[in-house]
Amino acid sequence: MPVNGKLLIDGQLLDAPRTYESLNPATGEVLGQAPDATPADAEAAVAAARRAFDTTTWATDKDFRIRCLDQLYQALIDHQEELRELTIAEVGATLALTHSAQLDDPINIVRYNADLLRTHPFTVDLGEIDSRGQRHHRWVEKEPVGVVAAILPYNYPNQLALAKLAPALAAGCTVVLKAAPDTPLITLALGQLIAEHTDIPAGVVNVLSSSEAAVGEVLTTHRDVDMVSFTGSTATGRRIMAAASETVKKVFLELGGKSAMILLDDADFAAASMLAAYMICTHAGQGCALTSRLLVPREHHDAVVEQVAGHFARVRYGDPSNPKTYMGPLISEKQRDKVDGMVQRAVAAGAKLVTGGERVNPGFFYTPTLLAGVDPDSEIAQEEVFGPVLAVIPYEDDDDAVRIANNSIYGLSGGVQSRDQERALAVARRIRSGTFSINGGNYFAPDAPFGGYRQSGIGRESGVAGLEEFLESKTFATVVA
């Protein structure tokens, strides 16, 4: 794949009058140049998507959509190793992680949605009723929402692009996909594959990269955009929701998280400590559903902290292309500054810095950081860090653990550890979150709905629920003769 990308607008791969740099976060060096789209480019992309939806058979030809999704899947498979190399270089994802959530697993989202499209019932018969002295037959048909603006964050760009794009296309929508400013090249590469290796018609998929916030504003306010699908911070999600309200657009929002892993007093503390340590170091902590709070019975607090610290000492970080590397860099110096600032404020507020809290150069690395004795109401326990920082919080009993876990504006995910499966499940059911892991269970797959409660978002991505996000229900009735 080329290091310098191109916009995809109305079927054409285009340069822009200006570009901006994409950096390799493991080295801090310039990786390539991305086209810096303008609001006018966004307008053109929306117009192309609107025309493709309104004037072509894309929305109604299910068999054609299946064929195009099959082609996209094959193109991703054929170019998988090139995409892997670019994902490691631009995202800072480790080689191992590209063999799961950063690349290989997302490709299967396309296959899942193509297969789902083959079997999903787009018509539901409601039967007949007697009304007004006549017999009436009723049914419901599912129709695509229309033009979708899909806006990505930087942390898992392949997974999030395909989790939005594949079900939107399966539903019959047209899409303007906006790459994250920090990871434009990998998303532009997807646009190139679509343009060069599929029969997806011009305008059905448009891909933009831009450093300019005004481009996102066009997509969230434009009257010809019917739906906004956004993954990112809760603060940005609030602004998008407000902007979309002017035209009453449908919104899907997958936002922040501050998930808690609860160790019950009968847990296997050695195994749970290892899981907690390596979980928060996955992709350097840049995951909205990662368990960044570790809730531990007060009497076991110090022992668990010692165990986690021992695991942190064994986390290998560095060159993400090295197969032995477990943790790569943060995405940027700006993000590293944010993480470090939160750690320093946590220590000033009374948390104990057990290990970590250090910058490592070159690149944007930050050592695995363990904070103990954290106040559950403090900033570090309430705000999303998006870095390899684990806050250990002591609790008194199960009720106290549940109270602390639910003491958050977020509700994205969480976990519980106990030797008693039923006890663990009882606690899990009391936590207000959209996903939950019991004793390390993994829920994340193309068929599993993913999303949050409260300020972690609106709607669900993946699974049948993910397809339904991009569909409208139209109810019909006719008089039976």
Side-chain angles (χ1 to χ4, degrees):
M1 306 301 296
V3 177
N4 298 325
K6 292 180 180 291
L7 306 174
L8 175 60
I9 300 176
D10 205 9
Q12 301 297 311
L13 293 168
L14 305 172
D15 292 315
R18 61 186 187 186
T19 61
Y20 69 101
E21 295 175 343
S22 177
L23 303 182
N24 181 329
T27 64
E29 298 174 350
V30 175
L31 175 65
Q33 301 289 328
D36 202 358
T38 65
D41 293 319
E43 293 272 0
V46 171
R50 184 81 265 164
R51 177 199 55 76
F53 185 81
D54 290 342
T55 66
T56 75
T57 60
W58 177 258
T60 56
D61 192 340
K62 185 177 79 168
D63 290 340
F64 180 51
R65 298 202 303 274
I66 291 171
R67 189 178 91 200
C68 289
L69 284 168
D70 287 343
Q71 291 171 338
L72 177 56
Y73 173 78
Q74 191 59 50
L76 291 165
I77 292 295
D78 292 343
H79 295 270
Q80 194 165 4
E81 296 313 310
E82 298 163 76
L83 293 170
R84 191 182 315 283
E85 182 178 337
L86 184 53
T87 301
I88 293 168
E90 185 176 49
V91 185
T94 61
L95 175 62
L97 203 53
T98 67
H99 284 286
S100 57
Q102 283 284 9
L103 180 62
D104 292 3
D105 290 353
I107 290 174
N108 289 327
I109 295 172
V110 181
R111 166 60 60 208
Y112 171 82
N113 278 277
D115 290 342
L116 181 59
L117 183 53
R118 291 177 168 92
T119 60
H120 189 72
F122 284 83
T123 301
V124 178
D125 195 292
L126 300 180
E128 297 180 1
I129 60 170
D130 289 317
S131 176
R132 304 169 193 164
Q134 291 180 303
R135 194 80 176 152
H136 303 264
H137 176 227
R138 299 132 333 113
W139 71 97
V140 177
E141 293 183 5
K142 299 286 188 175
E143 298 181 346
V145 167
V147 176
V148 176
I151 303 174
L152 303 179
Y154 65 78
N155 58 331
Y156 285 83
N158 294 314
Q159 194 276 328
L160 292 162
L162 294 174
K164 296 180 188 302
L165 187 62
L169 295 181
C173 297
T174 59
V175 182
V176 179
L177 184 66
K178 181 183 177 296
D182 286 314
T183 53
L185 300 179
I186 189 63
T187 304
L188 294 172
L190 174 61
Q192 181 178 343
L193 291 181
I194 288 169
E196 296 180 347
H197 298 281
T198 78
D199 294 326
I200 295 174
V204 169
V205 179
N206 305 270
V207 183
L208 304 176
S209 61
S210 181
S211 65
E212 191 174 346
V215 168
E217 293 172 7
V218 170
L219 299 181
T220 56
T221 60
H222 202 293
R223 64 190 296 257
D224 284 337
V225 171
D226 300 298
M227 175 180 173
V228 178
S229 177
F230 169 77
T231 299
S233 73
T234 293
T236 303
R238 293 187 194 111
R239 293 195 294 271
I240 287 175
M241 193 172 181
S245 70
E246 291 297 318
T247 48
V248 197
K249 300 186 193 306
K250 184 173 184 179
V251 293
F252 166 83
L253 302 173
E254 196 270 280
L255 308 176
K258 194 66 184 178
S259 303
M261 182 186 293
I262 303 171
L263 308 191
L264 298 183
D265 57 19
D266 65 344
D268 180 342
F269 291 113
S273 297
M274 181 172 67
L275 178 64
Y278 282 91
M279 178 72 73
I280 196 60
C281 293
T282 302
H283 196 35
Q286 298 169 114
C288 53
L290 296 178
T291 45
S292 56
R293 293 182 292 161
L294 183 61
L295 277 52
V296 181
R298 189 173 297 278
E299 63 270 24
H300 297 285
H301 174 274
D302 293 349
V304 169
V305 166
E306 184 178 354
Q307 289 175 324
V308 173
H311 292 301
F312 271 4
R314 291 186 285 275
V315 171
R316 181 165 181 168
Y317 56 87
D319 178 6
S321 66
N322 186 328
K324 296 181 179 180
T325 298
Y326 184 82
M327 189 181 87
L330 294 171
I331 192 63
S332 66
E333 188 65 27
K334 178 181 177 182
Q335 180 60 21
R336 186 164 67 170
D337 286 345
K338 178 202 168 188
V339 171
D340 188 57
M342 292 186 73
V343 170
Q344 300 309 317
R345 290 194 298 276
V347 173
K352 179 183 177 182
L353 178 60
V354 178
T355 187
E358 298 176 351
R359 302 167 187 256
V360 178
N361 298 315
F364 310 127
F365 294 91
Y366 198 76
T367 53
T369 301
L370 182 60
L371 296 166
V374 171
D375 181 343
D377 294 318
S378 64
E379 179 195 42
I380 203 70
Q382 291 292 319
E383 297 297 327
E384 190 172 46
V385 180
F386 237 55
V389 180
L390 185 63
V392 184
I393 303 172
Y395 70 85
E396 303 300 333
D397 55 24
D398 288 9
D399 288 342
D400 191 38
V402 170
R403 180 190 63 80
I404 292 171
N406 285 331
N407 176 30
S408 174
I409 66 170
Y410 302 111
L412 188 56
S413 193
V416 64
Q417 296 279 326
S418 171
R419 287 185 169 91
D420 184 336
Q421 183 82 0
E422 290 304 312
R423 182 184 176 199
L425 181 58
V427 169
R429 284 177 169 148
R430 296 174 65 189
I431 306 303
R432 299 287 294 167
S433 69
T435 56
F436 209 83
S437 171
I438 298 171
N439 290 325
N442 178 32
Y443 51 79
F444 203 74
D447 62 345
F450 181 83
Y453 290 13
R454 298 186 286 199
Q455 293 189 42
S456 283
I458 298 172
R460 292 295 180 269
E461 207 157 53
S462 300
V464 174
L467 175 64
E468 291 283 345
E469 289 288 342
F470 296 97
L471 295 171
E472 297 278 16
S473 294
K474 180 183 287 186
T475 304
F476 294 85
T478 185
V479 175
V480 178

